[in-house]
């Protein structure tokens, strides 16, 4: 509609879902769901506010704060807070929209939402970050609660920021409750939460490999290209190594660090070294020239891993940010022999890239690349956030093993649900792998639509 602002990221996310539904048999079998799509695409509530805080030079600074409470059909709004200068309403609406269906796929009682600020934590002192978080939560606390809206961390929001915000919420509301997830382990956090998104995407791909090869293959011996070097990328890399795969790339916003030659892998020690500099908000380029790294890796400034890795790629895990795989990069991955791609990031592939992946899957059988969208593949993070909410409500703490087992089961169910739904509503040709993007979109959407119908939100 002409009276609405241009929101490219949100419109991309909406069109990706809508086109999947249109190209399936869902609307033929259940035409009333078209109305549900119209309703679910409008947020239930959007909160926007100013955040005024004081820097270390006693200068007043102003940022914008947001919370998009998109859909509560399945439970309290649930989704992260992002602190990054790129944050705007379009990005948060896209993330919140995706979150609705991602949360639905976990099988847990969580609605979808997203929030954040255009505040940039990089280069800020701990005191500046604390003062910003206090001001941000002073307003946000009016709109959230354990049974209303439970934010988590996202880009720029680590355990430190969660702690500052939780402390301010507790002071103002005089209530200790599970209002934020990603808390410290000694005061309500869940074991496995930091690792959950990275671990979860690897667990999901395990099922892809097993299904596509009839159980004959696993991660063992696979060359895995990963983008990003934050929380998701780090733990995905560590889990790949644990399962016998070779990690051949990591990256950040400045460039890509790529293994030289066909043999070898990043080691856990090298990944931990990268993790340490990321805590200090430094760039990978600072490590690339050191003797320990320059002899084994090549650093490519301004590049993403997909078109600059020598040799074979078996699995690709985009784990940095949205739209990080273009159509040309999708073709390059196929040319490199990639058979599995799963998004650790949200909407990691452009629509052009998705079209390339899906066309290749349709046209090929055992040699096809198989694409898994972020709303399914990276659902592990919010799944364990949901498990943290459950532990907080019961005032209990589960062991690492119990949480990890539950995470594995959720990712398996997520995969199987998308697979079965694709076979029902987007039936592939004989010998062709089902579309996980179609199956995941339809499975998440129909679950939310049915709950909304029961609530009287559409008829």
């Amino acid at each position: 509609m002409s009276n609405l602002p241009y929101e490219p990221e949100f419109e991309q996310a909406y069109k990706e879902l809508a086109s999947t539904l249109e190209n399936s048999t869902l609307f033929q079998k259940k035409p009333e769901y078209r109305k549900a799509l119209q309703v679910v695409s409008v947020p239930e509530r959007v909160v926007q506010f100013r955040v005024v805080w004081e820097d270390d030079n006693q200068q007043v600074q102003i940022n914008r704060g947001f919370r998009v409470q998109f859909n509560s059909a399945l439970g309290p709004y649930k989704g992260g807070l992002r602190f990054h200068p790129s944050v705007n309403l379009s990005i948060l609406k896209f993330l919140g929209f995706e979150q609705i269906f991602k949360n639905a796929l976990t099988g847990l009682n969580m609605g979808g939402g997203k929030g954040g600020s255009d505040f940039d934590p990089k280069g800020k002192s701990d005191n500046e970050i604390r003062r910003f978080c206090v001001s941000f939560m002073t307003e946000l606390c009016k709109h959230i609660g354990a049974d209303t809206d439970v934010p988590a961390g996202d880009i720029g929001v680590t355990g430190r920021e969660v702690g500052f915000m939780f402390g301010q919420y507790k002071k103002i509301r005089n209530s200790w409750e599970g209002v934020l997830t990603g808390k410290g382990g000694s005061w309500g956090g869940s074991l496995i939460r930091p690792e959950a998104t990275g671990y979860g995407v690897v667990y999901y791909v395990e099922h892809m490999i097993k299904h596509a090869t009839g159980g004959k293959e696993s991660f063992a011996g696979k060359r895995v290209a990963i983008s990003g070097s934050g929380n998701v990328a780090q733990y995905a890399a560590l889990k790949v190594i644990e399962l016998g795969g070779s990690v051949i790339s990591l990256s950040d916003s400045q460039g890509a660090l790529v293994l030289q030659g066909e043999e070898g892998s990043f080691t856990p020690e090298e990944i931990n070294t990268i993790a340490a500099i990321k805590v200090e908000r430094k760039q990978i380029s600072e490590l690339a020239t050191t003797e320990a790294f320059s002899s084994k890796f090549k650093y490519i400034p301004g590049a993403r891993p997909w078109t600059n890795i020598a040799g074979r790629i078996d699995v690709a895990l985009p784990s940095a940010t949205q739209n990080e795989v273009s159509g040309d990069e999708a073709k390059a991955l196929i040319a490199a022999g990639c058979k599995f791609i799963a998004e650790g990031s949200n909407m990691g592939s452009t629509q052009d890239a998705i079209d390339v992946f899906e066309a290749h899957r349709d046209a090929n059988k055992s040699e096809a690349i198989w694409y898994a969208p972020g709303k399914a593949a990276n659902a592990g993070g919010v799944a364990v956030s949901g498990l943290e909410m459950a532990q907080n409500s019961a005032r209990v703490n589960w062991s690492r093993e119990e949480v990890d087992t539950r995470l594995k089961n959720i990712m398996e169910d997520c995969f199987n649900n998308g697979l079965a739904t694709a076979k029902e509503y987007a039936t592939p040709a004989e010998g062709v792998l089902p579309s996980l993007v179609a199956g995941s979109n339809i499975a998440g959407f129909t679950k939310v639509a049915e709950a909304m119908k029961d609530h009287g939100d559409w008829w």
Side-chain angles (χ1 to χ4, degrees):
M1 294 174 63
S2 60
N3 65 318
L4 297 178
Y6 178 50
E7 297 176 330
E9 294 85 2
F10 172 64
E11 290 175 20
Q12 179 185 342
Y14 171 80
K15 289 175 182 176
E16 190 264 320
L17 176 79
S19 64
T20 297
L21 302 182
E22 289 284 0
N23 292 328
S24 72
T25 61
L26 178 67
F27 289 155
Q28 297 172 28
K29 295 178 179 180
K30 300 179 179 181
E32 68 274 16
Y33 274 24
R34 291 184 186 276
K35 180 59 66 175
L37 177 60
Q38 289 181 311
V39 176
V40 79
S41 65
V42 179
E44 293 175 6
R45 187 177 298 105
V46 175
V47 180
Q48 183 171 345
F49 52 94
R50 69 185 179 200
V51 186
V52 181
W53 57 283
E54 191 176 89
D55 66 21
D56 287 342
N57 296 317
Q58 287 78 53
Q59 297 297 308
V60 170
Q61 303 293 334
I62 304 169
N63 288 97
R64 290 173 173 82
F66 304 88
R67 188 65 179 173
V68 179
Q69 296 176 330
F70 224 118
N71 191 284
S72 60
L74 298 178
Y77 307 106
K78 187 80 189 80
L81 295 170
R82 177 175 293 192
F83 293 169
H84 192 272
S86 68
V87 164
N88 58 39
L89 195 53
S90 174
I91 287 176
L92 294 180
K93 283 181 66 177
F94 125 62
L95 291 168
F97 189 66
E98 290 277 291
Q99 198 78 48
I100 300 167
F101 311 110
K102 178 190 300 186
N103 293 358
L105 289 169
T106 68
L108 302 175
N109 294 325
M110 299 182 293
K114 206 75 176 184
S117 173
D118 55 5
F119 171 76
D120 189 356
K122 289 184 179 179
K124 305 294 192 301
S125 69
D126 282 352
N127 272 327
E128 287 175 322
I129 291 172
R130 178 181 57 80
R131 287 193 289 269
F132 171 82
C133 288
V134 165
S135 182
F136 181 84
M137 182 51 76
T138 299
E139 178 61 31
L140 185 65
C141 75
K142 303 170 186 176
H143 310 285
I144 63 175
D147 296 317
T148 305
D149 184 351
V150 184
D154 194 81
I155 294 172
V157 178
T158 65
R160 172 182 56 179
E161 287 79 12
V162 169
F164 291 150
M165 288 188 285
F166 185 86
Q168 182 66 359
Y169 179 91
K170 183 164 59 73
K171 290 171 187 173
I172 294 176
R173 300 289 291 268
N174 191 29
S175 175
W176 198 112
E177 56 182 293
V179 68
L180 291 161
T181 55
K183 298 184 288 298
S186 63
W187 49 278
S190 176
L191 295 170
I192 305 289
R193 178 59 190 92
E195 300 94 329
T197 308
Y199 281 12
V201 71
V202 175
Y203 293 153
Y204 190 97
V205 176
E206 271 194 302
H207 294 292
M208 295 174 68
I209 296 172
K210 182 179 178 181
H211 180 87
T213 65
K216 296 177 182 177
E217 296 181 20
S218 67
F219 265 102
K222 296 284 190 294
R223 287 168 56 87
V224 183
I226 301 176
S227 67
S229 51
N231 180 280
V232 179
Q234 293 165 23
Y235 287 114
L238 291 171
K239 183 57 68 173
V240 166
I241 295 167
E242 179 186 322
L243 296 176
S246 299
V247 176
I248 57 177
S249 71
L250 291 169
S251 68
D252 61 20
S253 59
Q254 302 300 311
L257 190 63
V258 180
L259 181 73
Q260 298 188 58
E262 291 285 328
E263 301 296 326
S265 169
F266 279 81
T267 65
E269 293 74 22
E270 289 161 347
I271 293 167
N272 290 336
T273 299
I274 291 171
I277 69 163
K278 286 301 170 179
V279 170
E280 300 172 2
R281 304 189 186 277
K282 296 180 179 179
Q283 303 296 327
I284 285 180
S285 58
E286 298 185 30
L287 284 176
T289 55
T290 64
E291 184 177 349
F293 279 80
S294 61
S295 60
K296 184 176 177 181
F297 304 98
K298 56 183 176 182
Y299 178 73
I300 309 164
R304 295 187 288 236
W306 321 123
T307 56
N308 294 287
I309 296 175
R312 187 183 86 250
I313 302 171
D314 298 311
V315 180
L317 304 178
S319 302
T321 189
Q322 67 265 18
N323 290 330
E324 55 174 310
V325 183
S326 67
D328 288 340
E329 288 168 320
K331 294 174 184 176
L333 281 169
I334 292 171
C338 186
K339 292 294 184 290
F340 306 96
I341 175 167
E343 294 173 341
S345 54
N346 293 306
M347 203 167 72
S349 303
T350 65
Q351 188 60 55
D352 286 345
I354 296 171
D355 291 343
V356 169
F357 295 140
E358 288 292 273
H360 194 266
R361 179 191 56 78
D362 277 333
N364 296 273
K365 294 184 179 180
S366 60
E367 297 305 309
I369 192 169
W370 205 12
Y371 162 75
K375 64 170 60 70
N378 71 35
V382 75
V384 174
S385 281
L387 299 180
E388 182 177 326
M389 291 167 64
Q391 293 170 77
N392 289 169
S393 295
R395 298 292 195 267
V396 297
N397 295 100
W398 295 333
S399 69
R400 183 181 183 87
E401 291 74 22
E402 181 169 0
V403 177
D404 196 34
T405 297
R406 289 174 182 262
L407 171 61
K408 288 178 179 177
N409 291 338
I410 288 170
M411 298 313 298
E412 181 177 8
D413 290 345
C414 194
F415 172 77
N416 288 333
N417 190 7
L419 191 72
T421 305
K423 291 178 180 178
E424 180 179 358
Y425 293 104
T427 309
E430 182 70 27
V432 174
L433 292 165
S435 171
L436 291 175
V437 63
S440 301
N441 279 339
I442 296 166
F445 170 76
T446 54
K447 182 173 182 179
V448 174
E450 283 299 311
M452 291 171 63
K453 184 176 182 181
D454 289 347
H455 298 167
D457 292 337
W458 67 275
W459 283 89

